[in-house]
Structure formats: C-alpha cells, structure tokens
Coordinates of all heavy atoms in Angstrom, one line a residue:
M1 N 0.8 -1.2 0.0 CA 0.0 -0.1 -0.1 C 0.9 1.2 0.0 O 2.0 1.3 0.6 CB -0.9 0.0 1.2 CG -2.3 -0.7 1.0 SD -3.2 -0.7 2.5 CE -2.7 -2.4 3.0
D2 N 0.4 2.3 -0.6 CA 1.1 3.5 -0.6 C 1.3 4.1 0.8 O 0.4 3.9 1.6 CB 0.1 4.5 -1.5 CG 1.0 5.7 -1.9 OD1 1.4 6.4 -1.0 OD2 1.0 6.1 -3.0
E3 N 2.4 4.9 0.9 CA 2.7 5.5 2.2 C 1.6 6.5 2.7 O 1.4 6.8 3.8 CB 4.0 6.2 2.2 CG 5.2 5.1 2.1 CD 6.1 5.5 0.9 OE1 6.2 6.7 0.7 OE2 6.8 4.6 0.5
Q4 N 0.9 7.0 1.6 CA -0.2 8.1 1.9 C -1.4 7.3 2.6 O -2.3 8.1 3.2 CB -0.6 8.7 0.6 CG 0.4 9.5 0.0 CD 0.0 10.1 -1.3 OE1 -1.0 9.6 -1.8 NE2 0.7 11.0 -1.8
V5 N -1.5 6.1 2.6 CA -2.6 5.3 3.1 C -2.4 5.0 4.6 O -1.5 4.4 4.9 CB -2.9 4.2 2.3 CG1 -4.0 3.3 2.8 CG2 -3.2 4.4 0.8
N6 N -3.5 5.4 5.3 CA -3.5 5.0 6.8 C -4.1 3.6 6.8 O -5.4 3.5 6.6 CB -4.2 6.1 7.6 CG -4.3 5.7 9.0 OD1 -4.3 4.5 9.4 ND2 -4.3 6.7 9.8
E7 N -3.3 2.6 7.1 CA -4.0 1.3 7.0 C -5.0 1.0 8.1 O -6.1 0.3 7.8 CB -2.8 0.2 7.2 CG -3.3 -1.3 7.0 CD -2.2 -2.2 6.9 OE1 -1.0 -1.8 6.6 OE2 -2.5 -3.4 7.0
R8 N -4.9 1.6 9.2 CA -6.0 1.4 10.2 C -7.3 2.2 9.7 O -8.4 1.6 9.8 CB -5.7 2.1 11.5 CG -4.6 1.2 12.3 CD -4.3 1.8 13.6 NE -3.1 1.6 14.1 CZ -2.6 1.8 15.3 NH1 -3.4 2.5 16.1 NH2 -1.4 1.5 15.6
E9 N -7.1 3.2 9.1 CA -8.3 4.0 8.5 C -9.0 3.2 7.4 O -10.1 3.0 7.3 CB -7.8 5.3 8.0 CG -9.0 6.2 7.4 CD -8.5 7.5 7.0 OE1 -8.5 8.4 7.8 OE2 -8.2 7.6 5.7
L10 N -8.1 2.6 6.6 CA -8.6 1.7 5.5 C -9.3 0.5 6.1 O -10.5 0.2 5.6 CB -7.4 1.2 4.7 CG -7.7 0.2 3.6 CD1 -8.8 0.7 2.6 CD2 -6.4 -0.1 2.8
V11 N -8.8 -0.2 7.0 CA -9.4 -1.3 7.6 C -10.8 -1.0 8.2 O -11.8 -1.7 8.0 CB -8.5 -2.1 8.5 CG1 -9.2 -3.3 9.3 CG2 -7.3 -2.7 7.8
A12 N -10.8 0.2 8.9 CA -11.9 0.7 9.5 C -13.0 1.0 8.5 O -14.2 0.7 8.8 CB -11.7 1.8 10.4
Y13 N -12.6 1.6 7.5 CA -13.5 1.9 6.4 C -14.1 0.7 5.8 O -15.4 0.7 5.6 CB -12.7 2.6 5.2 CG -13.5 3.0 4.0 CD1 -14.1 4.3 3.9 CD2 -13.7 2.2 3.0 CE1 -14.7 4.7 2.8 CE2 -14.3 2.4 1.8 CZ -14.9 3.7 1.7 OH -15.5 4.0 0.5
I14 N -13.3 -0.3 5.5 CA -14.0 -1.5 4.9 C -14.8 -2.2 6.0 O -15.9 -2.7 5.7 CB -12.7 -2.5 4.5 CG1 -12.0 -1.8 3.4 CG2 -13.3 -3.8 4.1 CD1 -10.7 -2.6 2.9
A15 N -14.4 -2.3 7.2 CA -15.2 -3.0 8.3 C -16.5 -2.3 8.5 O -17.5 -3.0 8.9 CB -14.4 -3.1 9.6
E16 N -16.5 -1.1 8.3 CA -17.9 -0.3 8.6 C -18.8 -0.7 7.4 O -20.0 -0.6 7.6 CB -17.7 1.2 8.4 CG -17.0 1.8 9.7 CD -16.7 3.2 9.6 OE1 -17.3 3.9 8.6 OE2 -15.9 3.8 10.3
R17 N -18.4 -1.1 6.3 CA -19.2 -1.2 5.2 C -19.7 -2.8 4.9 O -20.6 -3.0 4.2 CB -18.6 -0.8 3.9 CG -18.7 0.8 4.0 CD -17.6 1.5 3.1 NE -17.8 2.9 3.2 CZ -17.4 3.7 4.1 NH1 -16.9 3.2 5.2 NH2 -17.6 5.0 4.1
I18 N -18.8 -3.7 5.4 CA -19.1 -5.1 5.1 C -18.9 -5.9 6.4 O -18.4 -5.5 7.3 CB -18.2 -5.7 4.1 CG1 -16.7 -5.6 4.3 CG2 -18.5 -5.0 2.6 CD1 -15.8 -6.2 3.3
K19 N -19.6 -7.0 6.4 CA -19.6 -7.9 7.6 C -18.5 -8.9 7.6 O -18.7 -10.0 7.3 CB -21.0 -8.6 7.8 CG -22.1 -7.7 7.7 CD -22.3 -6.9 9.0 CE -23.4 -5.9 9.1 NZ -23.3 -4.6 9.4
V20 N -17.2 -8.4 7.9 CA -16.1 -9.3 7.9 C -15.3 -8.7 9.0 O -15.1 -7.7 9.3 CB -15.4 -9.2 6.5 CG1 -14.0 -10.0 6.5 CG2 -16.2 -9.6 5.3
E21 N -14.7 -9.7 9.7 CA -13.8 -9.5 10.9 C -12.5 -8.6 10.4 O -12.0 -9.0 9.4 CB -13.3 -10.7 11.5 CG -14.3 -11.6 12.2 CD -14.9 -10.9 13.4 OE1 -14.2 -10.3 14.1 OE2 -16.1 -11.0 13.6
R22 N -12.1 -7.7 11.2 CA -11.0 -6.9 11.0 C -9.8 -7.7 10.6 O -9.0 -7.5 9.7 CB -10.7 -5.9 12.0 CG -11.6 -4.7 12.0 CD -11.4 -3.8 13.2 NE -12.4 -2.9 13.4 CZ -12.3 -1.6 13.1 NH1 -11.1 -1.1 12.6 NH2 -13.2 -0.7 13.2
K23 N -9.5 -8.8 11.4 CA -8.3 -9.7 11.1 C -8.4 -10.3 9.7 O -7.3 -10.4 9.1 CB -8.2 -10.7 12.3 CG -9.3 -11.7 12.2 CD -9.1 -12.8 13.3 CE -10.2 -13.8 13.3 NZ -10.5 -14.6 12.3
D24 N -9.6 -10.6 9.3 CA -9.7 -11.2 7.9 C -9.4 -10.1 6.8 O -8.7 -10.4 5.8 CB -11.2 -11.7 7.7 CG -11.4 -13.0 8.6 OD1 -10.3 -13.8 8.8 OD2 -12.4 -13.2 9.0
I25 N -10.0 -9.0 7.0 CA -9.7 -7.8 6.2 C -8.1 -7.6 6.1 O -7.6 -7.5 5.0 CB -10.4 -6.5 6.6 CG1 -11.9 -6.7 6.5 CG2 -9.9 -5.4 5.8 CD1 -12.6 -5.6 7.1
E26 N -7.5 -7.5 7.2 CA -6.1 -7.3 7.3 C -5.3 -8.4 6.5 O -4.3 -8.1 5.9 CB -5.6 -7.1 8.8 CG -6.1 -5.9 9.4 CD -5.9 -5.9 10.9 OE1 -5.5 -7.0 11.4 OE2 -6.1 -4.9 11.6
L27 N -5.7 -9.6 6.8 CA -5.1 -10.8 6.1 C -5.2 -10.6 4.5 O -4.2 -10.8 3.8 CB -5.7 -12.1 6.5 CG -5.0 -13.3 6.0 CD1 -3.6 -13.4 6.5 CD2 -5.8 -14.5 6.6
V28 N -6.4 -10.3 4.1 CA -6.7 -10.1 2.5 C -5.8 -8.9 2.1 O -5.1 -9.2 1.0 CB -8.2 -9.9 2.4 CG1 -8.3 -9.3 0.9 CG2 -8.9 -11.0 2.6
L29 N -5.7 -7.9 2.8 CA -4.9 -6.8 2.3 C -3.4 -7.2 2.4 O -2.6 -6.7 1.4 CB -5.1 -5.6 3.2 CG -6.5 -5.0 3.1 CD1 -6.6 -3.8 4.1 CD2 -6.9 -4.5 1.8
R30 N -2.9 -8.0 3.3 CA -1.6 -8.4 3.3 C -1.2 -9.2 2.0 O -0.1 -9.1 1.5 CB -1.2 -9.1 4.6 CG 0.3 -9.4 4.8 CD 0.6 -9.9 6.3 NE -0.4 -10.0 7.2 CZ -0.8 -11.2 7.8 NH1 -0.3 -12.3 7.4 NH2 -1.9 -11.1 8.6
Y31 N -2.1 -10.2 1.8 CA -1.9 -11.1 0.6 C -1.9 -10.2 -0.7 O -1.2 -10.5 -1.7 CB -2.7 -12.2 0.6 CG -2.3 -13.3 1.6 CD1 -3.2 -13.8 2.5 CD2 -1.0 -13.9 1.3 CE1 -2.8 -14.9 3.2 CE2 -0.7 -14.8 2.2 CZ -1.5 -15.4 3.1 OH -1.1 -16.3 4.0
E32 N -2.8 -9.2 -0.7 CA -2.9 -8.3 -1.8 C -1.6 -7.7 -2.1 O -1.1 -7.5 -3.3 CB -4.1 -7.5 -1.8 CG -4.2 -6.5 -2.8 CD -5.1 -5.2 -2.5 OE1 -5.2 -4.9 -1.3 OE2 -5.7 -4.7 -3.5
K33 N -1.1 -7.1 -1.0 CA 0.1 -6.3 -1.1 C 1.3 -7.2 -1.6 O 2.1 -6.8 -2.4 CB 0.5 -5.8 0.3 CG 1.7 -4.9 0.3 CD 1.9 -4.3 1.7 CE 3.1 -3.4 1.8 NZ 3.3 -2.7 3.0
A34 N 1.5 -8.5 -1.1 CA 2.4 -9.3 -1.6 C 2.3 -9.7 -3.0 O 3.3 -9.7 -3.8 CB 2.3 -10.7 -0.8
Y35 N 1.0 -9.9 -3.6 CA 0.6 -10.2 -4.9 C 1.1 -9.0 -5.7 O 1.8 -9.3 -6.7 CB -0.7 -10.5 -5.1 CG -1.1 -10.8 -6.5 CD1 -1.2 -12.1 -6.9 CD2 -1.6 -9.9 -7.4 CE1 -1.5 -12.6 -8.2 CE2 -2.0 -10.2 -8.7 CZ -1.9 -11.5 -9.0 OH -2.4 -12.0 -10.4
I36 N 0.8 -7.8 -5.4 CA 1.1 -6.6 -6.1 C 2.6 -6.5 -6.2 O 3.2 -6.0 -7.2 CB 0.3 -5.5 -5.8 CG1 -1.2 -5.6 -6.0 CG2 0.9 -4.1 -6.3 CD1 -2.1 -4.6 -5.3
G37 N 3.3 -6.7 -5.0 CA 4.7 -6.5 -5.0 C 5.5 -7.4 -5.9 O 6.5 -7.1 -6.3
N38 N 4.9 -8.6 -6.2 CA 5.5 -9.6 -7.1 C 5.1 -9.4 -8.6 O 5.6 -10.1 -9.4 CB 5.2 -10.9 -6.7 CG 5.9 -11.3 -5.4 OD1 7.1 -10.8 -5.1 ND2 5.4 -12.0 -4.5
A39 N 4.2 -8.4 -8.8 CA 3.7 -8.2 -10.3 C 4.7 -7.5 -11.1 O 5.5 -6.7 -10.5 CB 2.4 -7.5 -10.2
R40 N 4.8 -7.9 -12.3 CA 5.7 -7.2 -13.2 C 5.2 -6.0 -13.9 O 4.1 -5.9 -14.3 CB 6.2 -8.3 -14.3 CG 6.9 -9.5 -13.7 CD 7.4 -10.3 -14.9 NE 7.8 -11.5 -14.4 CZ 9.0 -11.8 -13.9 NH1 9.8 -10.9 -13.9 NH2 9.4 -13.1 -13.6
A41 N 6.1 -4.9 -13.8 CA 5.6 -3.7 -14.5 C 5.9 -3.8 -16.0 O 6.8 -4.5 -16.4 CB 6.5 -2.5 -13.9
D42 N 5.0 -3.1 -16.8 CA 5.3 -3.0 -18.2 C 6.3 -2.0 -18.6 O 6.9 -1.4 -17.7 CB 4.0 -2.8 -19.0 CG 3.5 -1.3 -18.7 OD1 4.1 -0.5 -18.1 OD2 2.2 -1.1 -18.9
K43 N 6.7 -1.7 -19.8 CA 7.6 -0.8 -20.2 C 7.5 0.5 -19.7 O 8.4 1.4 -19.6 CB 7.9 -0.7 -21.7 CG 6.7 -0.3 -22.4 CD 6.9 -0.4 -23.9 CE 5.8 0.1 -24.6 NZ 5.8 -0.1 -26.1
N44 N 6.3 0.9 -19.4 CA 5.9 2.3 -18.9 C 6.0 2.3 -17.3 O 5.7 3.4 -16.6 CB 4.6 2.7 -19.3 CG 4.5 2.8 -20.8 OD1 5.5 3.2 -21.4 ND2 3.3 2.5 -21.4
G45 N 6.4 1.2 -16.7 CA 6.4 1.1 -15.3 C 5.1 1.0 -14.6 O 4.9 1.0 -13.4
E46 N 4.0 0.6 -15.4 CA 2.8 0.4 -14.8 C 2.5 -1.1 -14.6 O 3.0 -2.0 -15.4 CB 1.7 0.9 -15.8 CG 1.7 2.4 -15.9 CD 0.8 2.9 -17.0 OE1 0.0 2.3 -17.5 OE2 0.8 4.2 -17.0
V47 N 1.6 -1.4 -13.7 CA 1.4 -2.9 -13.3 C -0.1 -3.0 -13.5 O -0.9 -2.2 -13.0 CB 1.7 -3.2 -11.8 CG1 1.3 -4.6 -11.5 CG2 3.2 -3.0 -11.7
D48 N -0.5 -3.9 -14.3 CA -1.9 -4.2 -14.6 C -2.3 -5.5 -13.8 O -1.7 -6.6 -13.9 CB -2.2 -4.5 -16.0 CG -3.6 -4.7 -16.3 OD1 -4.5 -4.2 -15.7 OD2 -3.9 -5.5 -17.4
I49 N -3.3 -5.3 -12.9 CA -3.7 -6.4 -11.9 C -5.1 -6.8 -12.3 O -5.9 -6.0 -12.3 CB -3.7 -5.9 -10.5 CG1 -2.3 -5.4 -10.1 CG2 -4.1 -7.0 -9.6 CD1 -1.2 -6.4 -10.0
D50 N -5.2 -8.1 -12.6 CA -6.5 -8.7 -12.9 C -7.1 -9.1 -11.6 O -6.6 -9.9 -10.9 CB -6.2 -9.9 -13.8 CG -7.6 -10.5 -14.2 OD1 -8.2 -11.3 -13.4 OD2 -8.1 -10.4 -15.4
I51 N -8.4 -8.6 -11.3 CA -9.1 -8.8 -10.0 C -9.4 -10.2 -9.8 O -9.3 -10.7 -8.8 CB -10.3 -7.8 -9.9 CG1 -10.8 -8.0 -8.5 CG2 -11.3 -8.3 -10.9 CD1 -10.1 -7.2 -7.5
D52 N -9.7 -10.8 -10.9 CA -10.0 -12.4 -10.8 C -8.7 -13.2 -10.3 O -8.8 -14.1 -9.5 CB -10.5 -12.9 -12.0 CG -11.9 -12.3 -12.4 OD1 -12.6 -12.0 -11.4 OD2 -12.2 -12.2 -13.6
D53 N -7.6 -12.9 -10.9 CA -6.3 -13.6 -10.6 C -5.9 -13.2 -9.1 O -5.5 -14.1 -8.4 CB -5.2 -13.2 -11.5 CG -5.5 -13.6 -12.9 OD1 -6.2 -14.6 -13.2 OD2 -4.7 -13.2 -13.9
L54 N -6.1 -12.0 -8.8 CA -5.7 -11.6 -7.4 C -6.7 -12.3 -6.4 O -6.2 -12.8 -5.4 CB -5.9 -10.1 -7.3 CG -5.8 -9.5 -6.0 CD1 -4.4 -9.8 -5.2 CD2 -5.9 -8.0 -5.9
T55 N -7.9 -12.3 -6.6 CA -8.8 -13.0 -5.8 C -8.5 -14.5 -5.7 O -8.5 -15.0 -4.6 CB -10.3 -12.8 -6.3 OG1 -10.7 -11.4 -6.4 CG2 -11.3 -13.5 -5.4
D56 N -8.2 -15.1 -6.7 CA -7.9 -16.6 -6.7 C -6.6 -16.7 -5.9 O -6.5 -17.7 -5.2 CB -7.7 -17.2 -8.2 CG -9.0 -17.2 -9.0 OD1 -10.0 -17.2 -8.4 OD2 -8.9 -17.3 -10.2
F57 N -5.7 -15.9 -6.0 CA -4.5 -16.0 -5.3 C -4.7 -16.0 -3.8 O -4.2 -16.7 -3.0 CB -3.4 -14.8 -5.7 CG -2.2 -14.7 -4.9 CD1 -1.2 -15.5 -5.0 CD2 -2.3 -13.8 -3.9 CE1 0.0 -15.5 -4.2 CE2 -1.0 -13.7 -3.1 CZ 0.0 -14.5 -3.3
I58 N -5.6 -15.0 -3.4 CA -5.8 -14.7 -2.1 C -6.7 -15.9 -1.4 O -6.4 -16.5 -0.3 CB -6.6 -13.4 -1.8 CG1 -5.7 -12.2 -2.2 CG2 -7.1 -13.3 -0.3 CD1 -6.4 -10.9 -2.2
V59 N -7.7 -16.3 -2.2 CA -8.5 -17.4 -1.7 C -7.8 -18.7 -1.6 O -8.1 -19.5 -0.7 CB -9.8 -17.6 -2.6 CG1 -10.5 -18.9 -2.3 CG2 -10.7 -16.3 -2.5
S60 N -6.8 -18.9 -2.4 CA -6.0 -20.2 -2.4 C -5.0 -20.3 -1.2 O -4.7 -21.4 -0.7 CB -5.1 -20.2 -3.6 OG -4.0 -19.3 -3.5
K61 N -4.9 -19.2 -0.3 CA -4.0 -19.2 0.8 C -4.8 -20.1 2.0 O -5.9 -19.9 2.2 CB -3.6 -17.9 1.4 CG -2.8 -17.0 0.2 CD -1.7 -17.7 -0.1 CE -0.9 -17.0 -1.2 NZ 0.3 -17.8 -1.6
R62 N -3.9 -20.9 2.6 CA -4.5 -21.8 3.6 C -5.1 -21.1 4.8 O -6.1 -21.6 5.4 CB -3.6 -22.7 4.1 CG -3.1 -23.7 3.1 CD -1.8 -24.4 3.4 NE -1.9 -25.2 4.5 CZ -1.1 -26.4 4.8 NH1 -0.3 -26.7 3.9 NH2 -1.2 -26.9 5.9
D63 N -4.6 -19.9 5.1 CA -5.1 -19.3 6.3 C -6.2 -18.3 6.1 O -6.8 -17.7 7.0 CB -4.0 -18.6 7.1 CG -3.2 -17.6 6.3 OD1 -3.3 -17.7 5.0 OD2 -2.5 -16.7 6.8
V64 N -6.6 -18.2 4.8 CA -7.8 -17.3 4.4 C -9.1 -18.2 4.6 O -9.3 -19.2 3.7 CB -7.6 -16.8 3.0 CG1 -8.9 -15.9 2.6 CG2 -6.4 -15.9 3.0
Q65 N -9.9 -17.8 5.3 CA -11.3 -18.5 5.5 C -12.3 -18.0 4.9 O -13.5 -18.5 5.1 CB -11.4 -18.7 7.1 CG -10.3 -19.3 8.0 CD -10.1 -20.7 7.4 OE1 -11.0 -21.5 7.4 NE2 -8.8 -21.0 7.3
L66 N -12.2 -16.9 4.2 CA -13.2 -16.2 3.4 C -13.5 -16.9 2.1 O -12.7 -17.5 1.5 CB -12.9 -14.7 3.2 CG -12.6 -14.0 4.5 CD1 -12.0 -12.6 4.1 CD2 -13.8 -13.9 5.3
E67 N -14.8 -16.7 1.6 CA -15.2 -17.2 0.3 C -14.9 -16.1 -0.7 O -14.7 -15.0 -0.4 CB -16.6 -17.6 0.3 CG -17.1 -18.5 1.3 CD -16.6 -20.0 0.9 OE1 -16.5 -20.3 -0.3 OE2 -16.2 -20.6 1.8
E68 N -14.7 -16.5 -2.0 CA -14.5 -15.6 -3.1 C -15.2 -14.4 -3.1 O -14.7 -13.2 -3.2 CB -14.6 -16.4 -4.4 CG -14.1 -15.6 -5.7 CD -14.1 -16.4 -6.8 OE1 -13.6 -17.5 -6.8 OE2 -14.6 -15.9 -7.8
P69 N -16.6 -14.4 -2.8 CA -17.4 -13.1 -2.9 C -16.9 -12.1 -1.7 O -17.0 -10.9 -2.0 CB -18.8 -13.6 -2.8 CG -18.9 -15.0 -3.2 CD -17.5 -15.5 -2.8
Q70 N -16.6 -12.7 -0.6 CA -16.2 -11.8 0.5 C -14.8 -11.1 0.1 O -14.6 -10.0 0.5 CB -16.0 -12.6 1.8 CG -17.4 -13.2 2.3 CD -17.1 -14.2 3.4 OE1 -16.5 -15.2 3.2 NE2 -17.7 -13.8 4.5
V71 N -13.9 -11.9 -0.4 CA -12.5 -11.3 -0.8 C -12.7 -10.3 -1.9 O -12.3 -9.2 -1.7 CB -11.6 -12.4 -1.3 CG1 -10.4 -11.8 -1.9 CG2 -11.2 -13.4 -0.2
E72 N -13.6 -10.5 -2.8 CA -14.0 -9.6 -3.9 C -14.6 -8.1 -3.3 O -14.3 -7.2 -3.6 CB -15.0 -10.0 -5.0 CG -14.2 -11.1 -5.8 CD -15.2 -11.7 -6.7 OE1 -16.5 -11.6 -6.6 OE2 -14.7 -12.5 -7.7
E73 N -15.5 -8.3 -2.4 CA -16.0 -7.3 -1.7 C -15.0 -6.5 -0.9 O -15.1 -5.2 -1.0 CB -17.1 -7.8 -0.7 CG -18.1 -6.7 -0.2 CD -19.3 -7.2 0.6 OE1 -19.2 -8.3 1.1 OE2 -20.2 -6.5 0.7
I74 N -14.1 -7.1 -0.2 CA -13.0 -6.3 0.4 C -12.2 -5.6 -0.5 O -11.9 -4.3 -0.4 CB -12.2 -7.2 1.2 CG1 -12.9 -7.8 2.4 CG2 -10.9 -6.7 1.8 CD1 -12.2 -9.0 3.2
L75 N -11.9 -6.2 -1.7 CA -11.0 -5.5 -2.7 C -11.8 -4.4 -3.3 O -11.2 -3.3 -3.6 CB -10.5 -6.5 -3.7 CG -9.6 -7.6 -3.1 CD1 -9.3 -8.6 -4.3 CD2 -8.4 -7.0 -2.6
E76 N -13.0 -4.6 -3.6 CA -13.9 -3.4 -4.2 C -14.0 -2.3 -3.2 O -14.0 -1.2 -3.6 CB -15.1 -4.1 -4.7 CG -15.1 -4.9 -5.8 CD -16.4 -5.7 -6.2 OE1 -17.4 -5.5 -5.5 OE2 -16.3 -6.6 -7.0
C77 N -14.2 -2.6 -2.0 CA -14.4 -1.6 -0.9 C -13.1 -0.8 -0.8 O -13.0 0.4 -0.6 CB -14.8 -2.2 0.4 SG -15.6 -1.0 1.6
E78 N -11.9 -1.5 -0.9 CA -10.7 -0.8 -0.8 C -10.5 0.2 -2.0 O -10.1 1.2 -1.7 CB -9.5 -1.9 -0.8 CG -8.1 -1.3 -0.8 CD -7.1 -2.3 -1.2 OE1 -7.3 -3.2 -1.9 OE2 -6.0 -2.1 -0.7
M79 N -10.8 -0.3 -3.1 CA -10.9 0.6 -4.4 C -11.8 1.7 -4.1 O -11.3 2.9 -4.4 CB -11.2 -0.2 -5.6 CG -11.0 0.5 -6.8 SD -9.3 1.0 -7.1 CE -9.3 1.6 -8.7
D80 N -12.9 1.6 -3.6 CA -13.8 2.8 -3.3 C -13.0 3.8 -2.4 O -13.2 4.9 -2.5 CB -15.1 2.2 -2.6 CG -16.0 1.5 -3.5 OD1 -15.7 1.5 -4.8 OD2 -16.8 0.8 -3.0
Y81 N -12.4 3.2 -1.3 CA -11.6 4.0 -0.4 C -10.5 4.8 -1.1 O -10.5 6.0 -1.0 CB -11.0 3.2 0.7 CG -10.1 3.9 1.5 CD1 -10.6 4.5 2.8 CD2 -8.7 3.9 1.3 CE1 -9.7 5.2 3.6 CE2 -7.9 4.7 2.2 CZ -8.3 5.2 3.3 OH -7.4 5.9 4.1
F82 N -9.8 4.2 -2.1 CA -8.6 4.8 -2.7 C -9.3 5.9 -3.7 O -8.7 6.9 -3.8 CB -7.9 3.8 -3.6 CG -6.9 2.9 -2.7 CD1 -6.7 1.7 -3.1 CD2 -6.5 3.4 -1.4 CE1 -5.8 0.9 -2.4 CE2 -5.7 2.6 -0.8 CZ -5.3 1.3 -1.1
M83 N -10.3 5.6 -4.2 CA -11.0 6.5 -5.1 C -11.6 7.8 -4.5 O -11.4 9.0 -4.8 CB -12.1 5.9 -6.0 CG -11.6 5.0 -7.1 SD -12.7 4.0 -7.9 CE -13.7 5.3 -8.8
E84 N -12.1 7.5 -3.2 CA -12.7 8.7 -2.3 C -11.4 9.6 -2.0 O -11.6 10.8 -1.8 CB -13.4 8.2 -1.2 CG -14.8 7.7 -1.5 CD -15.4 7.2 -0.3 OE1 -15.2 7.6 0.9 OE2 -16.5 6.4 -0.5
K85 N -10.3 9.1 -1.7 CA -9.1 9.6 -1.3 C -8.3 10.3 -2.6 O -7.4 11.0 -2.3 CB -8.3 8.8 -0.5 CG -8.7 8.3 0.7 CD -8.9 9.4 1.8 CE -9.2 8.9 3.2 NZ -9.4 10.0 4.2
G86 N -8.9 10.0 -3.7 CA -8.1 10.5 -4.9 C -6.8 9.8 -5.2 O -5.9 10.3 -5.9
L87 N -6.6 8.6 -4.7 CA -5.3 7.9 -4.8 C -5.5 6.8 -6.1 O -4.4 6.3 -6.2 CB -5.0 7.1 -3.5 CG -4.9 8.1 -2.3 CD1 -4.7 7.3 -1.0 CD2 -3.6 8.9 -2.5
A88 N -6.6 6.6 -6.6 CA -6.6 5.6 -7.6 C -7.9 5.8 -8.4 O -8.8 6.6 -8.0 CB -6.7 4.1 -7.0
G89 N -7.9 5.2 -9.6 CA -9.1 5.2 -10.5 C -9.0 4.0 -11.3 O -8.1 3.3 -11.4
Y90 N -10.1 3.8 -12.1 CA -10.1 2.7 -13.0 C -9.6 3.2 -14.5 O -9.9 4.3 -14.8 CB -11.5 2.2 -13.3 CG -12.0 1.4 -12.0 CD1 -12.8 2.0 -11.0 CD2 -11.5 0.1 -11.8 CE1 -13.3 1.2 -10.0 CE2 -12.0 -0.5 -10.6 CZ -12.9 0.1 -9.8 OH -13.3 -0.7 -8.7
I91 N -9.1 2.4 -15.2 CA -8.6 2.6 -16.5 C -9.6 1.9 -17.5 O -9.8 0.8 -17.3 CB -7.2 2.0 -16.7 CG1 -6.1 2.6 -15.8 CG2 -6.8 2.3 -18.3 CD1 -4.8 2.1 -15.9
D92 N -10.1 2.8 -18.4 CA -11.1 2.2 -19.4 C -10.4 1.3 -20.4 O -9.4 1.6 -20.9 CB -11.9 3.3 -20.0 CG -12.8 4.1 -19.0 OD1 -13.2 3.3 -18.1 OD2 -13.0 5.3 -19.1

C-alpha cells in the first residue's frame, strides 16, 4: 500500500461497510500487497492487476477462511476508499 494510506483507517472503512472481521480484512490486504509486490511492471512502469487472478491468489491461501465473494467485496471496498481519497481510479 502507498505510504499516503493509513492502514487502520482503510481497515476501519472496509469493516464499517461489510460484515467481515478486521483480522480477515487485514489478512486479505496483506496477501494483496504481496501479490502486487511480485507483479511485473510493463515498459511504462505500470502494473496491470487482474482482479480475478488476485482474488484466486488470496482465496488459495490456507489461512484465508473467506469465500471468493467476500474477498472480492473487500477488494472493491478498498478501491472505493482509494477513489474517495483521490489515490486511484479505473482505466477504461
């Protein structure tokens, strides 16, 4: 996650909107960070992350007890947070 992001604030934001334990949210975000950290950048230095591949990666972890829809909901809510903060957007 970017240094501009307050992780506690992000977790609280997600927890307020969906019915998932904070520890599960933190676990999903940790695996997401690892996945993105290992992604390869293109010639412009940009990394394209496929949400389906990311979700599959997270769900495949043994300590993740959430189902795919819950993981997707966490990731979508995280994106909402980033968009509200002006830190991210979708590419058409």
Side-chain angles (χ1 to χ4, degrees):
M1 269 176 266
D2 192 305
E3 292 130 26
Q4 297 175 341
V5 175
N6 179 328
E7 190 168 341
R8 286 186 205 185
E9 181 180 275
L10 172 59
V11 171
Y13 177 93
I14 295 169
E16 286 177 13
R17 285 158 179 77
I18 60 177
K19 304 293 185 223
V20 176
E21 296 288 325
R22 286 177 185 252
K23 65 179 180 57
D24 292 324
I25 295 168
E26 292 166 351
L27 187 61
V28 167
L29 296 178
R30 189 169 358 119
Y31 280 126
E32 175 195 29
K33 185 176 182 178
Y35 182 89
I36 292 171
N38 289 326
R40 298 187 190 274
D42 65 15
K43 64 182 178 184
N44 298 325
E46 295 177 0
V47 177
D48 183 29
I49 302 296
D50 182 286
I51 190 75
D52 294 328
D53 293 342
L54 174 58
T55 301
D56 291 343
F57 172 80
I58 294 169
V59 171
S60 74
K61 300 302 176 184
R62 292 165 61 153
D63 54 344
V64 174
Q65 301 300 314
L66 302 173
E67 299 293 324
E68 188 174 311
Q70 293 169 302
V71 171
E72 288 175 346
E73 191 174 21
I74 290 170
L75 297 174
E76 289 170 6
C77 198
E78 177 192 31
M79 188 62 168
D80 291 344
Y81 172 86
F82 288 151
M83 290 175 59
E84 284 181 22
K85 295 289 185 178
L87 300 172
Y90 288 104
I91 299 173
D92 292 329

